[in-house]
Amino acid sequence: MKDPSSQTQLLGMRLFAMASLIYLLGLTGCGSEPQSNDSAKTGVAAAVSDGQPRRGGRVVIGLQQEPERLNEILSATATNNLIGNLIFSRFVKYDDQLQLIPDLIETIPTVDNGGISSDHLTYTYTLVAGARWHDGTPLTSADVKFTYDVIMHPEVNAESREGWDAIESVETPDSRTVVFRLKHTFPDFVSETFFDEPVLPRHLLLAELGAPFNISKFHHQPVGSGPFVLDEWVPGSHIVVKRNDDYYGEGPYLDEIVLKFIPDENTLLVQLKTGEIDIYDNADVSFLDQLKVVPGTVVHLTPTMMYEHIDFNLENEILKDKRIRQALVHATDKKTISELVYGGLVEIAHLDEYPTSKYYNEEAASRRVFNPLEARRLLRSAGWVDEDGDGILEKNGRKLSLRISTTAGRINREQTQLVLQRQYRDVGVDLQIRNHNSTVLYGSYEENGILKRGKFDLALYAWLSSPEPATKEDLYSTNTIPPKGQNHPRIRHEELTGLLAEGANEIDDARRVAVYHAITDILVEEAPVIPLFWYTAVDVCSERLKNYRPNPTQSSDTWNAHTWYLTDQSPPPRG
Amino acid sequence: MLKYVLKRILAVVPLVLLVTALCFALMHVIPGGPEGVLASNPKIKPDDLARIRSNFGLDRPLVVQYGLWLERVVFHGDFGLSYVTGEPVSEMIGKRLPATLELMGSAFLLSLLVALAVGVVSVLKNNTAIDSLFTVGSLAVISIPVFWLALMSMMLFSVRLGVLPSAGMFTVGTPFSIVDHLRHLVLPTLVLSLVLVASWSRYARETLLEAMSADHIDVARAKGLPGTIVVLRHALRNAAGPIVTVVAMSIPILFTGSVVVETVFSWPGMGRLFYEGLLRHDYTRLMGIVFVSSILVALFNLLADCLYGILDPRIRYAR
């Protein structure tokens, strides 16, 4: 049996826990690079549609996680996003080129088209014509207002109210127009509102507004307005959705999509090989060589927004000297980690900002180079020398020994620790490994979590970055040290705190970029964190399926499922 | 006998109390909670967490939480609502229990039949090549991790030979058919049984051999009865008591084994429900499953003790 702390289950947990963080904007050039497994085919398989879409057929997706309930307001997990796309409608989503596109609204509101007022306090949306709930009732602006009431209700366990708490009032002048008036400016309003929240049917849920909403049966038999209608949910086994012939957008072409829940990744691999599933979503990277040779399938490699990093605990006696932290940045050879542990399948990260982002500070990144000589010089200047000749530095009789913690059982992370151990020893730093179960490491403050309580020296884990970097305030501000936020390194820096607050409320684009460049400068100088690399997502799909275009954002791989179609509708031969 | 059974049933009460109290304490000692997964999301503010914790009642003292849970279960037969899915826990268990019982039941029957057969053959062919083969085979199976056996059987029967489905309970999207369902049952049952067969057959062999040394066996042999009849009719009867005890004591192994087998074969049973609840710290769900399982295990043990008395007339229950 796989230990509950085994790597991918937990990667899955982490992924869906953090997935709520991704909301990308303005990023380009991250499209997927599909690799065909059909040796007869030359070149790269077409990831875009070729020929006319055909109606009919069934696609089976294998998923490791089963949703607890189909409601992203209560839990915006990656699985919920993936299935929510099929059943519900949103205002906006990202396409696979990371462009914000409209779903239930006619156009994305901007200042130019009048959707956003010049003071950035009023947002006006027009719903598409012809949208209906799966029971035939028309979808109106009243449903939108109702969903807002649900999210803000004190007894509803809404996971996050980010953006929603900036709203002062919601007005519905007619059945297709919604006007949001804000209390204060919120630069990410358009990309945040009804992005990972579905519009809910007022006529079915009005009676349950409040505490009953949390336990409503609706979350197990939802009625949405999206391209597919929920047909069957057998707990522990599968969900079947069927085509919504009344859909307001393009398609859908497939008769039905089956989502099969298979907790064990090895079993998922077997099911792909036998043709029992058509799509293996978010496959384990270590399976890549095997996946590449499954006949009749295409492997998609998509760079993600999730980055692995090391947090320093600035309250540690040794680490509160920033020269030590800078030295360890220079002692970390990320290229070797990428090659030894991940087979080169990850992209090295120098900053917590994605390299193609407009907020990326090239100059600051260039200062973060692997340079063991510089590391040794910094350590010496901080007063650490090897007095007894054992290769480990000392100061006032104390050895330069630190503990690194990560999620126990995640093999890749444990291997990374071993590589780091050797790299740091080369510059005279002793690294001890002290790992914890993921629920212990990530546990809340009340539950004595390791990160939240600061019971670590160095911590190795992942965050999901966001192209609009407002959430950084929660990671580095003096005001967000746990339990008040997620500043796990416990960095206390007055100028940084001020800049983070400024950046989060700045509407002017150029000024915002300048603020975040200044923030990055401070982060590189103070080095509370070492970013290591960006993860790559592996998805495999049957080559019979066209228009499958994996999406690195929270809009998830089913963002365009209504345009999917099969070239060959007979199931593939087994074996 | 009836008095004995009643007494034993009463003894289950403190046992279940102890087990649940211990589980409750252990779950809460581990850092992290149902809202712990949310806590790792930077978008979620501490205020949001505090609101969710208080809505769940998780901010109350542990003793109060346990007391409330116990009160609900004992006086209302209500396991509460899952923190994670919002569904009644009894409903969740109700949906999953039949699948687990089906898998455990079929594995149990198969194991018992095969283990006894192997035991009898080992005794009849004592110290021959077949006996040695069974001994080595059992040892090998006991040493192999269950999940590896499961994966290898999948690779062989589903990928290589393509004769059996690799996972699930039935083919999704086709109308229910008993044949299709039984085909899905084959692999998980085989894997779950193998380990039990290995240990039970060893035990059956030993007890049978011991029984074979009794005087009445010599008498039966002296009468000229064939070896098979001697073993089946005379030795097995004497050996049955100890075998039943060992088999009953293995019921918890079936429960834990089913967690692994259900996860690998994505069998929608209680084992998986528990495993997934564990990952999410879904306290109410875990408590419900522990409660139901401990009662089931206690009942099976009681049943075994009663059977023991029926099988072996020398055993009389204390008044």
Side-chain angles (χ1 to χ4, degrees):
Chain A
M1 177 192 166
K2 293 181 106 173
D3 182 72
S5 62
S6 112
Q7 55 271 43
T8 23
Q9 270 290 342
L10 287 178
L11 174 63
M13 299 253 305
R14 283 299 286 161
L15 261 173
F16 78 62
M18 291 184 302
S20 343
L21 229 195
I22 330 185
Y23 42 110
L24 315 189
L25 195 77
L27 280 179
T28 50
C30 288
S32 63
E33 199 65 47
Q35 307 185 359
S36 174
N37 286 333
D38 188 349
S39 51
K41 226 177 201 172
T42 51
V44 171
V48 289
S49 97
D50 49 10
Q52 284 298 307
R54 293 168 52 171
R55 272 168 80 98
R58 161 160 43 120
V59 164
V60 183
I61 308 179
L63 294 174
Q64 233 190 320
Q65 298 272 347
E66 177 172 4
E68 292 104 16
R69 46 194 158 178
L70 285 172
N71 194 299
E72 292 153 279
I73 289 167
L74 297 173
S75 64
T77 65
T79 314
N80 262 357
N81 293 147
L82 191 134
I83 303 173
N85 275 337
L86 305 173
I87 299 169
F88 289 103
S89 303
R90 322 168 183 290
F91 275 13
V92 290
K93 39 183 158 181
Y94 284 103
D95 67 9
D96 58 335
Q97 297 304 311
L98 312 177
Q99 297 296 320
L100 203 60
I101 54 169
D103 176 9
L104 191 62
I105 53 174
E106 287 199 328
T107 49
I108 306 265
T110 61
V111 178
D112 289 341
N113 68 19
I116 304 177
S117 65
S118 54
D119 60 358
H120 288 259
L121 286 173
T122 307
Y123 289 73
T124 308
Y125 292 88
T126 308
L127 304 180
V128 293
R132 285 178 182 278
W133 295 105
H134 293 156
D135 62 6
T137 314
L139 190 158
T140 69
S141 54
D143 294 309
V144 177
K145 169 141 191 347
F146 171 74
T147 310
Y148 162 79
D149 291 338
V150 168
I151 293 170
M152 292 310 290
H153 197 286
E155 280 168 20
V156 169
N157 288 339
E159 202 177 72
S160 164
R161 291 168 171 167
E162 178 112 343
W164 297 94
D165 48 12
I167 296 171
E168 189 173 60
S169 68
V170 184
E171 289 154 30
T172 52
D174 64 59
S175 69
R176 281 178 54 209
T177 308
V178 189
V179 182
F180 294 95
R181 292 193 199 285
L182 270 50
K183 293 180 241 179
H184 54 80
T185 56
F186 184 73
D188 298 336
F189 191 79
V190 171
S191 60
E192 275 287 288
T193 312
F194 289 112
F195 167 62
D196 58 354
E197 298 92 357
V199 178
L200 295 172
R202 180 176 185 271
H203 65 290
L204 296 176
L205 282 164
L206 187 60
E208 292 179 311
L209 181 62
F213 180 83
N214 299 326
I215 52 168
S216 171
K217 287 242 182 281
F218 179 85
H219 312 318
H220 298 273
Q221 43 206 323
V223 174
S225 51
F228 292 90
V229 182
L230 180 79
D231 181 54
E232 179 184 46
W233 182 351
V234 179
S237 176
H238 65 271
I239 283 177
V240 180
V241 295
K242 288 201 183 312
R243 180 175 57 224
N244 173 13
D245 287 314
D246 231 6
Y247 185 54
Y248 53 85
E250 181 196 347
Y253 302 115
L254 296 172
D255 283 342
E256 61 181 38
I257 296 178
V258 177
L259 303 126
K260 248 173 136 173
F261 308 116
I262 301 166
D264 191 276
E265 298 151 73
N266 294 295
T267 311
L268 276 162
L269 179 62
V270 167
Q271 293 241 312
L272 185 77
K273 286 182 177 173
T274 58
E276 286 168 278
I277 58 174
D278 301 303
I279 296 176
Y280 178 178
D281 187 74
N282 203 5
D284 190 332
V285 175
S286 64
F287 287 162
L288 191 60
D289 289 338
Q290 291 188 70
L291 292 168
K292 278 179 176 168
V293 294
V294 179
T297 63
V298 182
V299 175
H300 295 261
L301 300 176
T302 317
T304 71
M305 300 290 293
M306 184 162 83
Y307 67 98
E308 188 81 355
H309 69 277
I310 300 169
D311 274 0
F312 292 119
N313 185 347
L314 271 61
E315 285 174 359
N316 176 286
E317 210 44 53
I318 296 173
L319 290 170
K320 69 181 180 194
D321 183 341
K322 79 175 167 195
R323 287 170 295 185
I324 309 294
R325 306 196 298 269
Q326 290 167 340
L328 292 176
V329 171
H330 289 301
T332 309
D333 180 4
K334 299 168 188 175
K335 194 157 172 282
T336 303
I337 295 173
S338 156
E339 277 161 12
L340 282 181
V341 182
Y342 293 90
L345 197 73
V346 292
E347 191 177 337
I348 289 169
H350 295 297
L351 305 178
D352 58 1
E353 210 62 75
Y354 208 69
T356 51
S357 163
K358 61 185 170 192
Y359 300 104
Y360 193 77
N361 183 335
E362 200 78 49
E363 189 279 321
S366 70
R367 280 184 273 148
R368 286 210 150 148
V369 284
F370 169 54
N371 185 349
L373 285 176
E374 176 65 6
R376 287 195 197 99
R377 190 193 66 76
L378 282 163
L379 291 169
R380 211 177 315 120
S381 74
W384 292 88
V385 281
D386 186 7
E387 287 161 355
D388 55 6
D390 65 348
I392 302 297
L393 307 180
E394 288 99 23
K395 183 176 168 182
N396 304 332
R398 185 180 174 184
K399 289 224 174 282
L400 184 35
S401 178
L402 296 164
R403 291 174 310 175
I404 184 163
S405 302
T406 191
T407 44
R410 279 281 301 276
I411 291 169
N412 288 340
R413 285 195 171 141
E414 287 169 352
Q415 287 172 343
T416 304
Q417 288 177 317
L418 295 177
V419 178
L420 284 169
Q421 220 170 19
R422 207 178 55 205
Q423 292 176 354
Y424 289 1
R425 207 193 148 88
D426 281 350
V427 297
V429 178
D430 173 51
L431 199 58
Q432 297 290 325
I433 293 172
R434 185 91 169 262
N435 291 344
H436 308 273
N437 184 297
S438 77
T439 48
V440 178
L441 187 76
Y442 303 129
S444 66
Y445 192 85
E446 291 76 14
E447 302 272 1
N448 285 319
I450 299 292
L451 293 171
K452 290 285 178 294
R453 290 281 179 174
K455 289 187 283 190
F456 66 95
D457 299 346
L458 280 73
L460 173 70
Y461 62 103
W463 277 135
L464 271 181
S465 172
S466 97
E468 286 306 321
T471 46
K472 272 192 193 156
E473 188 170 10
D474 203 41
L475 301 182
Y476 307 116
S477 166
T478 307
N479 305 323
T480 58
I481 291 170
K484 288 186 282 178
Q486 316 240 32
N487 180 353
H488 298 151
R490 294 157 162 76
I491 178 169
R492 294 177 167 83
H493 196 286
E494 208 175 315
E495 189 190 349
L496 179 64
T497 302
L499 285 169
L500 285 164
E502 194 185 331
N505 292 304
E506 181 57 63
I507 289 163
D508 182 76
D509 215 42
R511 285 183 52 92
R512 205 169 187 219
V513 169
V515 168
Y516 281 103
H517 275 217
I519 287 170
T520 304
D521 277 330
I522 295 175
L523 288 176
V524 167
E525 172 65 20
E526 292 295 322
V529 170
I530 313 178
L532 293 176
F533 56 81
W534 302 92
Y535 279 100
T536 298
V538 180
D539 302 290
V540 195
C541 91
S542 159
E543 61 181 18
R544 300 183 302 135
L545 180 67
K546 296 302 170 194
N547 264 346
Y548 175 71
R549 288 151 59 189
N551 186 317
T553 77
Q554 206 179 342
S555 288
S556 102
D557 298 345
T558 50
W559 68 280
N560 66 338
H562 56 288
T563 67
W564 292 359
Y565 67 96
L566 289 166
T567 50
D568 169 14
Q569 289 170 7
S570 57
R574 278 171 184 251
Chain B
M1 176 88 175
L2 188 69
K3 234 179 179 173
Y4 170 80
V5 172
L6 281 176
K7 245 174 153 176
R8 282 291 304 271
I9 289 178
L10 278 180
V12 171
V13 175
L15 182 83
V16 171
L17 266 180
L18 189 74
V19 169
T20 54
L22 210 63
C23 270
F24 196 84
L26 277 176
M27 281 186 321
H28 285 272
V29 166
I30 305 167
E35 85 297 351
V37 183
L38 308 180
S40 55
N41 180 346
K43 240 172 100 175
I44 293 166
K45 300 282 153 56
D47 293 352
D48 293 326
L49 277 183
R51 172 171 51 85
I52 291 171
R53 277 183 72 82
S54 109
N55 284 355
F56 278 158
L58 288 170
D59 48 354
R60 297 189 194 174
L62 274 192
V63 181
V64 175
Q65 287 185 48
Y66 179 71
L68 285 174
W69 178 83
L70 201 64
E71 192 240 294
R72 266 205 321 265
V73 171
V74 174
F75 295 106
H76 309 282
D78 174 12
F79 290 120
L81 301 175
S82 157
Y83 288 127
V84 174
T85 71
E87 280 176 295
V89 169
S90 49
E91 216 170 89
M92 289 168 81
I93 294 177
K95 279 185 201 160
R96 301 293 196 91
L97 193 59
T100 293
L101 289 181
E102 182 188 354
L103 180 60
M104 278 176 56
S106 55
F108 181 83
L109 279 179
L110 184 72
S111 312
L112 199 61
L113 288 175
V114 176
L116 280 179
V118 169
V120 168
V121 172
S122 297
V123 168
L124 287 173
K125 305 280 178 192
N126 194 13
N127 294 329
T128 64
I130 292 183
D131 186 24
S132 310
L133 188 78
F134 281 147
T135 307
V136 173
S138 310
L139 213 71
V141 171
I142 290 174
S143 324
I144 295 173
V146 180
F147 75 87
W148 189 85
L149 268 179
L151 286 172
M152 288 306 115
S153 65
M154 254 186 230
M155 290 308 287
L156 180 65
F157 293 104
S158 307
V159 179
R160 198 59 62 81
L161 302 175
V163 288
L164 287 170
S166 59
M169 215 170 156
F170 34 80
T171 309
V172 178
T174 56
F176 178 81
S177 99
I178 189 79
V179 177
D180 176 61
H181 175 58
L182 290 178
R183 271 162 49 82
H184 280 83
L185 185 63
V186 173
L187 282 184
T189 304
L190 271 183
V191 170
L192 193 53
S193 310
L194 260 178
V195 181
L196 288 177
V197 167
S199 60
W200 290 358
S201 66
R202 294 328 296 148
Y203 197 80
R205 178 182 178 272
E206 298 315 314
T207 34
L208 276 173
L209 277 180
E210 206 183 304
M212 289 294 280
S213 64
D215 292 343
H216 73 281
I217 300 291
D218 289 338
V219 174
R221 277 206 175 124
K223 284 196 296 188
L225 284 175
T228 322
I229 301 286
V230 173
V231 172
L232 290 181
R233 196 170 293 166
H234 299 278
L236 194 57
R237 178 82 200 245
N238 278 20
I243 295 177
V244 163
T245 308
V246 166
V247 165
M249 277 162 65
S250 322
I251 296 286
I253 299 177
L254 259 177
F255 266 102
T256 48
S258 73
V259 175
V260 183
V261 171
E262 284 177 10
T263 304
V264 178
F265 287 104
S266 42
W267 190 263
M270 219 163 65
R272 254 180 81 193
L273 194 67
F274 186 79
Y275 173 72
E276 281 153 13
L278 209 56
L279 292 178
R280 292 297 313 266
H281 288 238
D282 193 355
Y283 297 147
T284 37
R285 181 195 323 186
L286 296 178
M287 290 300 287
I289 296 176
V290 164
F291 187 85
V292 171
S293 319
S294 53
I295 284 183
L296 281 178
V297 168
L299 284 182
F300 278 122
N301 273 316
L302 175 60
L303 195 71
D305 284 349
C306 297
L307 269 178
Y308 202 117
I310 295 163
L311 288 168
D312 190 342
R314 287 171 299 181
I315 306 290
R316 287 288 167 265
Y317 294 97
R319 280 168 295 276

